[in-house]
C-alpha cells in the first residue's frame, strides 16, 4: 500500500512528521539514516524550531526514529524478531516422556529465543504466596491458599536488557509432594510440563493463551531497552490438565516490536 498522510487539516508538526514517515515507509530513508536537523526542517517547511522539534517527538512516539540525549535522531533499526508459536506447547509436552539427555538438548525457551541459553544471563526466584482474588478465581481455590510463585528472566550480558521474562503460579498442593523439583536455580529440562508430571503425575490437556497489550512503564521500557512508542504485549498462559483443573497460570511480557505471536488452531473435521 502506498504510504498515506494523516487525513486531517494537519498542524505543521504533523505535516512534517507525516512527510518523514512516508519517506521511511517508501525506503527513501533507511535504518540508521540521519534525519535533517531542526534548523534544516524549519527552513524547508518555513516553520518554527518548536514545530520541527514537535515533529521529531511525534516520530519517536511512533517508534520510527531513535536518538536524544545529545544523539542526533536517526531512522530506527528494527530489532531481531522472535516468533512465539502455540506449537511450543505441544513441543514441550512431547518432551515430558523423553529422556533427560533429550530434554536438555531441546529447550523450548531456547528454541523460541533463537540463541543458546548459555549466551544469556538466567535468573529465577521462587517463593510461596497467598492467592489473591485473581489467582483464587483462576485456580478455583480459596483466596489466601498457598501458591508457588516463580519468576524467570533471561538477559543479554552485554547490554543488561531483558530477552525474556515471565512469572509462573502453581497451587502449592500440586507442589508439596516434591517441592525440590520446582526450586532449581537453572532452567529445567523439559520445562514446567515435565515438572508437573514428575511431581504430581499431571498431564496437560489444553493451554489457553490470553493476549492483551499496553504501553510499558518507564521502568519496564528501561529494563527491556525499548524505544519510545513501543507497546508491550502481555500473554497469560492457562494450563489445564486432563481432569479440567487449572494447574498453572503464567504471565509473560513481550515488546511488540520484536515479537510475533503465531497461534495455530486445529479444527475437527466433519
Amino acid at each position: 500500500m502506498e504510504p498515506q498522510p494523516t487525513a486531517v487539516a494537519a498542524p505543521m508538526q504533523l505535516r512534517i512528521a507525516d512527510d518523514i514517515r512516508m519517506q521511511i515507509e517508501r525506503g527513501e530513508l533507511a535504518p540508521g539514516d540521519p534525519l535533517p536537523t531542526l534548523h534544516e526542517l524549519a527552513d524547508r517547511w518555513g516553520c518554527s524550531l518548536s514545530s520541527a522539534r514537535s515533529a521529531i517527538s511525534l516520530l519517536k512516539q511512533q517508534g520510527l526514529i531513535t536518538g536524544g540525549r545529545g544523539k542526533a535522531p536517526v531512522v530506527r533499526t528494527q530489532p531481531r524478531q522472535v516468533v512465539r508459536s502455540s506449537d511450543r506447547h505441544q513441543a514441550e509436552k512431547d518432551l515430558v516422556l523423553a529422556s533427560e539427555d533429550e530434554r536438555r538438548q531441546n529447550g523450548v525457551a531456547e528454541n523460541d529465543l533463537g540463541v543458546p541459553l548459555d549466551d544469556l544471563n538466567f535468573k529465577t526466584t521462587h517463593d510461596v504466596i497467598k492467592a489473591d482474588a485473581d489467582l483464587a478465581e483462576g485456580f478455583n481455590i480459596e483466596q489466601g491458599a498457598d501458591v508457588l510463585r516463580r519468576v524467570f528472566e533471561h538477559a543479554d550480558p552485554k547490554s543488561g536488557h531483558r530477552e525474556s521474562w515471565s512469572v509462573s503460579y502453581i497451587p502449592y498442593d500440586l507442589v508439596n509432594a516434591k517441592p525440590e523439583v520446582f526450586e532449581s536455580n537453572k532452567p529445567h529440562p523439559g520445562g514446567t510440563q515435565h515438572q508437573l508430571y514428575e511431581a504430581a503425575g499431571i498431564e496437560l490437556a489444553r493451554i489457553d493463551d490470553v493476549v492483551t497489550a499496553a504501553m510499558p512503564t518507564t521502568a519496564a521500557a528501561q529494563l527491556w531497552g525499548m524505544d519510545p512508542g513501543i507497546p508491550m504485549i502481555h500473554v497469560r498462559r492457562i494450563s489445564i490438565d486432563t481432569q479440567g483443573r487449572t494447574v498453572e497460570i503464567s504471565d509473560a511480557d513481550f515488546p511488540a516490536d520484536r515479537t510475533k505471536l503465531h497461534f495455530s488452531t486445529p479444527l475437527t473435521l466433519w
Side-chain angles (χ1 to χ4, degrees), residues 5 8 27 35 39 53 69 78-79 93 98 119 134-136 143 157 198 202 216-217 235-236 243 255-257 270:
V8 294
L35 267 65
H39 287 284
R53 189 175 294 109
R69 296 184 180 178
Q78 294 300 314
K93 182 171 183 178
D119 291 352
D134 179 50
L135 291 175
Q143 189 169 340
E198 182 178 350
I202 290 172
T217 64
V235 180
R236 167 159 284 194
Q243 300 179 45
D257 64 333
W270 291 331

Side-chain angles (χ1 to χ4, degrees), residues 139-209:
F139 286 120
N140 193 27
I141 59 178
E142 293 291 329
Q143 189 169 340
D146 286 345
V147 173
L148 175 67
R149 175 178 61 188
R150 299 177 297 161
V151 180
F152 306 98
E153 180 185 67
H154 288 95
D156 185 322
K158 295 180 180 178
S159 67
H161 293 149
R162 281 179 177 169
E163 292 288 327
S164 69
W165 179 90
S166 64
V167 55
S168 163
Y169 304 96
I170 300 174
Y172 201 76
D173 63 356
L174 304 179
V175 173
N176 56 13
K178 289 187 176 181
E180 67 279 2
V181 171
F182 297 90
E183 295 176 356
S184 173
N185 290 321
K186 298 180 179 179
H188 181 83
T192 298
Q193 287 202 51
H194 183 270
Q195 291 173 315
L196 288 167
Y197 178 76
E198 182 178 350
I202 290 172
E203 177 187 359
L204 297 190
R206 189 175 93 241
I207 295 179
D208 294 340
D209 290 301

